[in-house]
mmCIF file of all heavy atoms in Angstrom:
data_model
loop_
_atom_site.group_PDB
_atom_site.id
_atom_site.type_symbol
_atom_site.label_atom_id
_atom_site.label_comp_id
_atom_site.label_asym_id
_atom_site.label_seq_id
_atom_site.Cartn_x
_atom_site.Cartn_y
_atom_site.Cartn_z
ATOM 1 N N ILE W 18 -0.479 33.448 -11.913
ATOM 2 C CA ILE W 18 -0.617 34.057 -10.588
ATOM 3 C C ILE W 18 -1.311 33.080 -9.639
ATOM 4 O O ILE W 18 -0.870 32.888 -8.499
ATOM 5 C CB ILE W 18 -1.388 35.393 -10.662
ATOM 6 C CG1 ILE W 18 -0.655 36.383 -11.583
ATOM 7 C CG2 ILE W 18 -1.617 35.973 -9.273
ATOM 8 C CD1 ILE W 18 0.756 36.724 -11.169
ATOM 9 N N HIS W 19 -2.379 32.442 -10.101
ATOM 10 C CA HIS W 19 -3.067 31.439 -9.277
ATOM 11 C C HIS W 19 -2.120 30.296 -8.912
ATOM 12 O O HIS W 19 -2.075 29.858 -7.755
ATOM 13 C CB HIS W 19 -4.296 30.881 -10.012
ATOM 14 C CG HIS W 19 -5.486 31.776 -9.966
ATOM 15 N ND1 HIS W 19 -6.338 31.815 -8.892
ATOM 16 C CD2 HIS W 19 -5.976 32.657 -10.874
ATOM 17 C CE1 HIS W 19 -7.311 32.689 -9.131
ATOM 18 N NE2 HIS W 19 -7.106 33.217 -10.325
ATOM 19 N N THR W 20 -1.368 29.826 -9.876
ATOM 20 C CA THR W 20 -0.423 28.735 -9.648
ATOM 21 C C THR W 20 0.662 29.158 -8.661
ATOM 22 O O THR W 20 1.028 28.389 -7.756
ATOM 23 C CB THR W 20 0.199 28.282 -10.982
ATOM 24 O OG1 THR W 20 -0.851 27.828 -11.843
ATOM 25 C CG2 THR W 20 1.205 27.162 -10.773
ATOM 26 N N ALA W 21 1.164 30.367 -8.809
ATOM 27 C CA ALA W 21 2.199 30.866 -7.904
ATOM 28 C C ALA W 21 1.664 30.972 -6.477
ATOM 29 O O ALA W 21 2.358 30.612 -5.524
ATOM 30 C CB ALA W 21 2.721 32.220 -8.385
ATOM 31 N N TRP W 22 0.416 31.451 -6.319
ATOM 32 C CA TRP W 22 -0.162 31.545 -4.972
ATOM 33 C C TRP W 22 -0.171 30.164 -4.317
ATOM 34 O O TRP W 22 0.269 30.005 -3.181
ATOM 35 C CB TRP W 22 -1.579 32.127 -5.021
ATOM 36 C CG TRP W 22 -2.047 32.631 -3.691
ATOM 37 C CD1 TRP W 22 -2.031 33.922 -3.249
ATOM 38 C CD2 TRP W 22 -2.579 31.849 -2.598
ATOM 39 N NE1 TRP W 22 -2.519 33.987 -1.956
ATOM 40 C CE2 TRP W 22 -2.865 32.737 -1.537
ATOM 41 C CE3 TRP W 22 -2.844 30.502 -2.413
ATOM 42 C CZ2 TRP W 22 -3.402 32.311 -0.317
ATOM 43 C CZ3 TRP W 22 -3.371 30.078 -1.198
ATOM 44 C CH2 TRP W 22 -3.645 30.968 -0.170
ATOM 45 N N ASP W 23 -0.657 29.172 -5.052
ATOM 46 C CA ASP W 23 -0.701 27.801 -4.522
ATOM 47 C C ASP W 23 0.693 27.287 -4.170
ATOM 48 O O ASP W 23 0.910 26.732 -3.091
ATOM 49 C CB ASP W 23 -1.321 26.842 -5.545
ATOM 50 C CG ASP W 23 -2.804 27.050 -5.738
ATOM 51 O OD1 ASP W 23 -3.485 27.529 -4.816
ATOM 52 O OD2 ASP W 23 -3.295 26.722 -6.844
ATOM 53 N N SER W 24 1.628 27.446 -5.080
ATOM 54 C CA SER W 24 2.950 26.846 -4.883
ATOM 55 C C SER W 24 3.769 27.552 -3.808
ATOM 56 O O SER W 24 4.641 26.941 -3.208
ATOM 57 C CB SER W 24 3.723 26.810 -6.203
ATOM 58 O OG SER W 24 4.019 28.110 -6.648
ATOM 59 N N ILE W 25 3.480 28.805 -3.540
ATOM 60 C CA ILE W 25 4.243 29.535 -2.533
ATOM 61 C C ILE W 25 3.576 29.473 -1.158
ATOM 62 O O ILE W 25 4.214 29.136 -0.166
ATOM 63 C CB ILE W 25 4.469 31.000 -2.977
ATOM 64 C CG1 ILE W 25 5.396 31.000 -4.189
ATOM 65 C CG2 ILE W 25 5.010 31.845 -1.835
ATOM 66 C CD1 ILE W 25 5.488 32.308 -4.914
ATOM 67 N N PHE W 26 2.295 29.784 -1.092
ATOM 68 C CA PHE W 26 1.643 29.899 0.210
ATOM 69 C C PHE W 26 1.112 28.571 0.750
ATOM 70 O O PHE W 26 0.859 28.452 1.943
ATOM 71 C CB PHE W 26 0.544 30.956 0.161
ATOM 72 C CG PHE W 26 1.081 32.318 -0.171
ATOM 73 C CD1 PHE W 26 0.751 32.943 -1.351
ATOM 74 C CD2 PHE W 26 1.964 32.959 0.697
ATOM 75 C CE1 PHE W 26 1.265 34.194 -1.667
ATOM 76 C CE2 PHE W 26 2.494 34.203 0.394
ATOM 77 C CZ PHE W 26 2.137 34.823 -0.790
ATOM 78 N N ALA W 27 0.942 27.594 -0.109
ATOM 79 C CA ALA W 27 0.459 26.278 0.342
ATOM 80 C C ALA W 27 1.456 25.175 0.004
ATOM 81 O O ALA W 27 1.086 24.006 -0.069
ATOM 82 C CB ALA W 27 -0.894 25.987 -0.287
ATOM 83 N N LYS W 28 2.710 25.539 -0.172
ATOM 84 C CA LYS W 28 3.705 24.567 -0.629
ATOM 85 C C LYS W 28 3.928 23.416 0.343
ATOM 86 O O LYS W 28 4.261 22.316 -0.065
ATOM 87 C CB LYS W 28 5.026 25.245 -0.961
ATOM 88 C CG LYS W 28 5.780 25.766 0.236
ATOM 89 C CD LYS W 28 7.068 26.426 -0.186
ATOM 90 C CE LYS W 28 7.763 27.042 1.013
ATOM 91 N NZ LYS W 28 8.908 27.809 0.604
ATOM 92 N N ASN W 29 3.728 23.652 1.627
ATOM 93 C CA ASN W 29 3.956 22.591 2.610
ATOM 94 C C ASN W 29 2.684 21.801 2.940
ATOM 95 O O ASN W 29 2.706 20.959 3.823
ATOM 96 C CB ASN W 29 4.551 23.175 3.898
ATOM 97 C CG ASN W 29 3.605 24.156 4.564
ATOM 98 O OD1 ASN W 29 2.904 24.899 3.892
ATOM 99 N ND2 ASN W 29 3.592 24.172 5.877
ATOM 100 N N ILE W 30 1.616 22.043 2.208
ATOM 101 C CA ILE W 30 0.347 21.344 2.450
ATOM 102 C C ILE W 30 0.229 20.215 1.426
ATOM 103 O O ILE W 30 0.061 20.467 0.231
ATOM 104 C CB ILE W 30 -0.861 22.303 2.316
ATOM 105 C CG1 ILE W 30 -0.639 23.605 3.093
ATOM 106 C CG2 ILE W 30 -2.148 21.600 2.732
ATOM 107 C CD1 ILE W 30 -0.469 23.455 4.576
ATOM 108 N N ASN W 31 0.324 18.970 1.904
ATOM 109 C CA ASN W 31 0.282 17.840 0.970
ATOM 110 C C ASN W 31 -1.136 17.603 0.441
ATOM 111 O O ASN W 31 -2.117 18.157 0.953
ATOM 112 C CB ASN W 31 0.864 16.570 1.611
ATOM 113 C CG ASN W 31 0.042 16.070 2.777
ATOM 114 O OD1 ASN W 31 -1.184 16.086 2.766
ATOM 115 N ND2 ASN W 31 0.721 15.605 3.812
ATOM 116 N N GLU W 32 -1.240 16.785 -0.574
ATOM 117 C CA GLU W 32 -2.511 16.547 -1.253
ATOM 118 C C GLU W 32 -3.568 15.954 -0.317
ATOM 119 O O GLU W 32 -4.742 16.336 -0.378
ATOM 120 C CB GLU W 32 -2.306 15.655 -2.479
ATOM 121 C CG GLU W 32 -3.533 15.549 -3.370
ATOM 122 C CD GLU W 32 -4.031 16.900 -3.876
ATOM 123 O OE1 GLU W 32 -3.212 17.780 -4.187
ATOM 124 O OE2 GLU W 32 -5.270 17.085 -3.940
ATOM 125 N N GLU W 33 -3.168 15.052 0.528
ATOM 126 C CA GLU W 33 -4.123 14.437 1.467
ATOM 127 C C GLU W 33 -4.722 15.493 2.408
ATOM 128 O O GLU W 33 -5.930 15.529 2.631
ATOM 129 C CB GLU W 33 -3.431 13.342 2.280
ATOM 130 C CG GLU W 33 -4.361 12.616 3.232
ATOM 131 C CD GLU W 33 -3.640 11.524 4.014
ATOM 132 O OE1 GLU W 33 -2.635 10.979 3.516
ATOM 133 O OE2 GLU W 33 -4.108 11.236 5.120
ATOM 134 N N THR W 34 -3.876 16.358 2.921
ATOM 135 C CA THR W 34 -4.349 17.434 3.798
ATOM 136 C C THR W 34 -5.223 18.405 3.020
ATOM 137 O O THR W 34 -6.273 18.834 3.514
ATOM 138 C CB THR W 34 -3.162 18.168 4.449
ATOM 139 O OG1 THR W 34 -2.400 17.227 5.205
ATOM 140 C CG2 THR W 34 -3.628 19.297 5.341
ATOM 141 N N ARG W 35 -4.808 18.742 1.807
ATOM 142 C CA ARG W 35 -5.622 19.643 0.977
ATOM 143 C C ARG W 35 -7.035 19.093 0.805
ATOM 144 O O ARG W 35 -8.009 19.841 0.887
ATOM 145 C CB ARG W 35 -4.968 19.860 -0.394
ATOM 146 C CG ARG W 35 -3.746 20.739 -0.333
ATOM 147 C CD ARG W 35 -3.132 20.932 -1.694
ATOM 148 N NE ARG W 35 -1.863 21.630 -1.594
ATOM 149 C CZ ARG W 35 -1.402 22.461 -2.504
ATOM 150 N NH1 ARG W 35 -2.075 22.683 -3.607
ATOM 151 N NH2 ARG W 35 -0.241 23.056 -2.331
ATOM 152 N N GLN W 36 -7.134 17.800 0.576
ATOM 153 C CA GLN W 36 -8.462 17.194 0.418
ATOM 154 C C GLN W 36 -9.238 17.231 1.726
ATOM 155 O O GLN W 36 -10.429 17.529 1.731
ATOM 156 C CB GLN W 36 -8.338 15.769 -0.098
ATOM 157 C CG GLN W 36 -7.928 15.703 -1.545
ATOM 158 C CD GLN W 36 -7.789 14.280 -2.057
ATOM 159 O OE1 GLN W 36 -8.155 13.325 -1.392
ATOM 160 N NE2 GLN W 36 -7.247 14.146 -3.256
ATOM 161 N N SER W 37 -8.584 16.951 2.828
ATOM 162 C CA SER W 37 -9.284 16.888 4.115
ATOM 163 C C SER W 37 -9.775 18.253 4.594
ATOM 164 O O SER W 37 -10.738 18.333 5.354
ATOM 165 C CB SER W 37 -8.404 16.240 5.188
ATOM 166 O OG SER W 37 -7.352 17.095 5.564
ATOM 167 N N ILE W 38 -9.128 19.330 4.144
ATOM 168 C CA ILE W 38 -9.564 20.678 4.546
ATOM 169 C C ILE W 38 -10.342 21.389 3.433
ATOM 170 O O ILE W 38 -10.649 22.572 3.558
ATOM 171 C CB ILE W 38 -8.373 21.544 5.011
ATOM 172 C CG1 ILE W 38 -7.399 21.831 3.864
ATOM 173 C CG2 ILE W 38 -7.682 20.916 6.209
ATOM 174 C CD1 ILE W 38 -6.332 22.863 4.186
ATOM 175 N N PHE W 39 -10.633 20.673 2.363
ATOM 176 C CA PHE W 39 -11.410 21.227 1.239
ATOM 177 C C PHE W 39 -10.725 22.451 0.627
ATOM 178 O O PHE W 39 -11.345 23.468 0.334
ATOM 179 C CB PHE W 39 -12.839 21.557 1.684
ATOM 180 C CG PHE W 39 -13.510 20.411 2.385
ATOM 181 C CD1 PHE W 39 -13.586 20.369 3.773
ATOM 182 C CD2 PHE W 39 -14.024 19.352 1.660
ATOM 183 C CE1 PHE W 39 -14.180 19.298 4.424
ATOM 184 C CE2 PHE W 39 -14.627 18.278 2.300
ATOM 185 C CZ PHE W 39 -14.697 18.246 3.682
ATOM 186 N N TYR W 40 -9.434 22.311 0.409
ATOM 187 C CA TYR W 40 -8.611 23.394 -0.118
ATOM 188 C C TYR W 40 -9.123 23.908 -1.464
ATOM 189 O O TYR W 40 -9.144 25.118 -1.702
ATOM 190 C CB TYR W 40 -7.158 22.919 -0.251
ATOM 191 C CG TYR W 40 -6.216 23.933 -0.839
ATOM 192 C CD1 TYR W 40 -5.704 24.964 -0.069
ATOM 193 C CD2 TYR W 40 -5.818 23.856 -2.175
ATOM 194 C CE1 TYR W 40 -4.826 25.893 -0.599
ATOM 195 C CE2 TYR W 40 -4.941 24.780 -2.712
ATOM 196 C CZ TYR W 40 -4.452 25.800 -1.921
ATOM 197 O OH TYR W 40 -3.590 26.722 -2.463
ATOM 198 N N GLU W 41 -9.521 23.008 -2.333
ATOM 199 C CA GLU W 41 -9.989 23.447 -3.655
ATOM 200 C C GLU W 41 -11.281 24.250 -3.564
ATOM 201 O O GLU W 41 -11.563 25.081 -4.425
ATOM 202 C CB GLU W 41 -10.151 22.260 -4.597
ATOM 203 C CG GLU W 41 -8.834 21.654 -5.032
ATOM 204 C CD GLU W 41 -7.872 22.654 -5.657
ATOM 205 O OE1 GLU W 41 -8.293 23.494 -6.481
ATOM 206 O OE2 GLU W 41 -6.677 22.607 -5.310
ATOM 207 N N GLN W 42 -12.064 24.020 -2.535
ATOM 208 C CA GLN W 42 -13.284 24.797 -2.340
ATOM 209 C C GLN W 42 -12.936 26.213 -1.886
ATOM 210 O O GLN W 42 -13.445 27.186 -2.422
ATOM 211 C CB GLN W 42 -14.190 24.119 -1.314
ATOM 212 C CG GLN W 42 -15.517 24.816 -1.136
ATOM 213 C CD GLN W 42 -16.392 24.114 -0.106
ATOM 214 O OE1 GLN W 42 -15.971 23.181 0.571
ATOM 215 N NE2 GLN W 42 -17.612 24.581 0.011
ATOM 216 N N PHE W 43 -12.068 26.299 -0.881
ATOM 217 C CA PHE W 43 -11.603 27.587 -0.366
ATOM 218 C C PHE W 43 -10.139 27.454 0.031
ATOM 219 O O PHE W 43 -9.822 26.776 1.014
ATOM 220 C CB PHE W 43 -12.431 28.048 0.840
ATOM 221 C CG PHE W 43 -13.861 28.333 0.507
ATOM 222 C CD1 PHE W 43 -14.860 27.483 0.955
ATOM 223 C CD2 PHE W 43 -14.211 29.433 -0.259
ATOM 224 C CE1 PHE W 43 -16.176 27.728 0.643
ATOM 225 C CE2 PHE W 43 -15.521 29.686 -0.581
ATOM 226 C CZ PHE W 43 -16.520 28.835 -0.129
ATOM 227 N N LYS W 44 -9.275 28.100 -0.704
ATOM 228 C CA LYS W 44 -7.849 28.026 -0.408
ATOM 229 C C LYS W 44 -7.533 28.555 0.988
ATOM 230 O O LYS W 44 -6.589 28.109 1.625
ATOM 231 C CB LYS W 44 -7.058 28.801 -1.455
ATOM 232 C CG LYS W 44 -7.162 28.206 -2.829
ATOM 233 C CD LYS W 44 -6.473 29.068 -3.859
ATOM 234 C CE LYS W 44 -6.770 28.514 -5.225
ATOM 235 N NZ LYS W 44 -5.608 28.457 -6.074
ATOM 236 N N TRP W 45 -8.337 29.501 1.458
ATOM 237 C CA TRP W 45 -8.073 30.082 2.777
ATOM 238 C C TRP W 45 -8.279 29.083 3.910
ATOM 239 O O TRP W 45 -7.914 29.362 5.054
ATOM 240 C CB TRP W 45 -8.885 31.356 3.013
ATOM 241 C CG TRP W 45 -10.359 31.294 2.810
ATOM 242 C CD1 TRP W 45 -11.048 31.696 1.696
ATOM 243 C CD2 TRP W 45 -11.359 30.858 3.749
ATOM 244 N NE1 TRP W 45 -12.401 31.525 1.891
ATOM 245 C CE2 TRP W 45 -12.616 31.017 3.137
ATOM 246 C CE3 TRP W 45 -11.304 30.348 5.053
ATOM 247 C CZ2 TRP W 45 -13.808 30.683 3.775
ATOM 248 C CZ3 TRP W 45 -12.495 30.017 5.686
ATOM 249 C CH2 TRP W 45 -13.725 30.187 5.045
ATOM 250 N N HIS W 46 -8.772 27.899 3.594
ATOM 251 C CA HIS W 46 -8.888 26.862 4.620
ATOM 252 C C HIS W 46 -7.523 26.472 5.195
ATOM 253 O O HIS W 46 -7.450 25.940 6.308
ATOM 254 C CB HIS W 46 -9.599 25.627 4.071
ATOM 255 C CG HIS W 46 -11.078 25.783 4.004
ATOM 256 N ND1 HIS W 46 -11.885 24.803 3.479
ATOM 257 C CD2 HIS W 46 -11.914 26.776 4.399
ATOM 258 C CE1 HIS W 46 -13.143 25.193 3.536
ATOM 259 N NE2 HIS W 46 -13.189 26.390 4.091
ATOM 260 N N ILE W 47 -6.433 26.749 4.482
ATOM 261 C CA ILE W 47 -5.113 26.461 5.060
ATOM 262 C C ILE W 47 -4.896 27.299 6.318
ATOM 263 O O ILE W 47 -4.140 26.891 7.200
ATOM 264 C CB ILE W 47 -3.950 26.662 4.054
ATOM 265 C CG1 ILE W 47 -3.838 28.104 3.594
ATOM 266 C CG2 ILE W 47 -4.066 25.698 2.897
ATOM 267 C CD1 ILE W 47 -2.611 28.399 2.744
ATOM 268 N N PHE W 48 -5.565 28.439 6.407
ATOM 269 C CA PHE W 48 -5.461 29.291 7.585
ATOM 270 C C PHE W 48 -6.537 28.960 8.614
ATOM 271 O O PHE W 48 -6.239 28.861 9.798
ATOM 272 C CB PHE W 48 -5.541 30.768 7.189
ATOM 273 C CG PHE W 48 -4.537 31.157 6.143
ATOM 274 C CD1 PHE W 48 -4.940 31.685 4.932
ATOM 275 C CD2 PHE W 48 -3.176 30.995 6.366
ATOM 276 C CE1 PHE W 48 -4.014 32.054 3.966
ATOM 277 C CE2 PHE W 48 -2.242 31.350 5.406
ATOM 278 C CZ PHE W 48 -2.666 31.882 4.209
ATOM 279 N N SER W 49 -7.766 28.772 8.179
ATOM 280 C CA SER W 49 -8.848 28.500 9.139
ATOM 281 C C SER W 49 -8.706 27.124 9.786
ATOM 282 O O SER W 49 -9.105 26.942 10.934
ATOM 283 C CB SER W 49 -10.220 28.642 8.472
ATOM 284 O OG SER W 49 -10.401 27.678 7.460
ATOM 285 N N TYR W 50 -8.131 26.171 9.070
ATOM 286 C CA TYR W 50 -7.863 24.849 9.646
ATOM 287 C C TYR W 50 -6.471 24.795 10.304
ATOM 288 O O TYR W 50 -5.994 23.725 10.649
ATOM 289 C CB TYR W 50 -7.958 23.761 8.569
ATOM 290 C CG TYR W 50 -9.368 23.344 8.230
ATOM 291 C CD1 TYR W 50 -10.121 24.033 7.281
ATOM 292 C CD2 TYR W 50 -9.957 22.242 8.852
ATOM 293 C CE1 TYR W 50 -11.408 23.646 6.970
ATOM 294 C CE2 TYR W 50 -11.252 21.841 8.541
ATOM 295 C CZ TYR W 50 -11.968 22.558 7.597
ATOM 296 O OH TYR W 50 -13.251 22.165 7.278
ATOM 297 N N GLU W 51 -5.855 25.956 10.410
ATOM 298 C CA GLU W 51 -4.567 26.123 11.079
ATOM 299 C C GLU W 51 -3.474 25.204 10.544
ATOM 300 O O GLU W 51 -2.659 24.665 11.287
ATOM 301 C CB GLU W 51 -4.734 25.994 12.595
ATOM 302 C CG GLU W 51 -5.668 27.062 13.130
ATOM 303 C CD GLU W 51 -5.856 27.032 14.634
ATOM 304 O OE1 GLU W 51 -5.422 26.059 15.289
ATOM 305 O OE2 GLU W 51 -6.425 28.004 15.151
ATOM 306 N N GLN W 52 -3.447 25.061 9.228
ATOM 307 C CA GLN W 52 -2.390 24.309 8.570
ATOM 308 C C GLN W 52 -1.204 25.212 8.234
ATOM 309 O O GLN W 52 -0.123 24.726 7.929
ATOM 310 C CB GLN W 52 -2.920 23.655 7.281
ATOM 311 C CG GLN W 52 -4.022 22.663 7.526
ATOM 312 C CD GLN W 52 -3.557 21.524 8.416
ATOM 313 O OE1 GLN W 52 -2.567 20.865 8.123
ATOM 314 N NE2 GLN W 52 -4.250 21.307 9.516
ATOM 315 N N GLN W 53 -1.448 26.514 8.282
ATOM 316 C CA GLN W 53 -0.414 27.499 7.996
ATOM 317 C C GLN W 53 -0.521 28.574 9.081
ATOM 318 O O GLN W 53 -1.595 29.145 9.278
ATOM 319 C CB GLN W 53 -0.664 28.100 6.618
ATOM 320 C CG GLN W 53 0.481 28.794 5.963
ATOM 321 C CD GLN W 53 1.590 27.836 5.593
ATOM 322 O OE1 GLN W 53 2.365 27.440 6.453
ATOM 323 N NE2 GLN W 53 1.680 27.469 4.336
ATOM 324 N N ALA W 54 0.550 28.835 9.792
ATOM 325 C CA ALA W 54 0.539 29.872 10.818
ATOM 326 C C ALA W 54 0.364 31.240 10.159
ATOM 327 O O ALA W 54 0.976 31.522 9.125
ATOM 328 C CB ALA W 54 1.832 29.839 11.619
ATOM 329 N N CYS W 55 -0.490 32.063 10.757
ATOM 330 C CA CYS W 55 -0.755 33.377 10.172
ATOM 331 C C CYS W 55 -1.315 34.299 11.241
ATOM 332 O O CYS W 55 -1.686 33.867 12.329
ATOM 333 C CB CYS W 55 -1.751 33.250 9.018
ATOM 334 S SG CYS W 55 -3.399 32.745 9.556
#
């Protein structure tokens, strides 16, 4: 389930961006850093 969440909702977020927004610390940073429209 964790893997599916990552692969579906953050699939367009590359590794470099994930590191720059601290994705592993908080996955929701894809939304707060506006990397994913929501």
Side-chain angles (χ1 to χ4, degrees):
I18 301 301
H19 281 278
T20 300
W22 198 98
D23 290 333
S24 66
I25 293 168
F26 299 114
K28 70 180 176 187
N29 63 324
I30 312 298
N31 65 40
E32 190 57 38
E33 182 179 333
T34 301
R35 287 180 188 213
Q36 288 179 9
S37 71
I38 66 170
F39 309 100
Y40 178 79
E41 289 305 317
Q42 184 180 7
F43 295 109
K44 295 175 187 224
W45 53 261
H46 281 177
I47 63 173
F48 306 121
S49 64
Y50 281 86
E51 299 182 350
Q52 298 300 305
Q53 199 67 281
C55 67

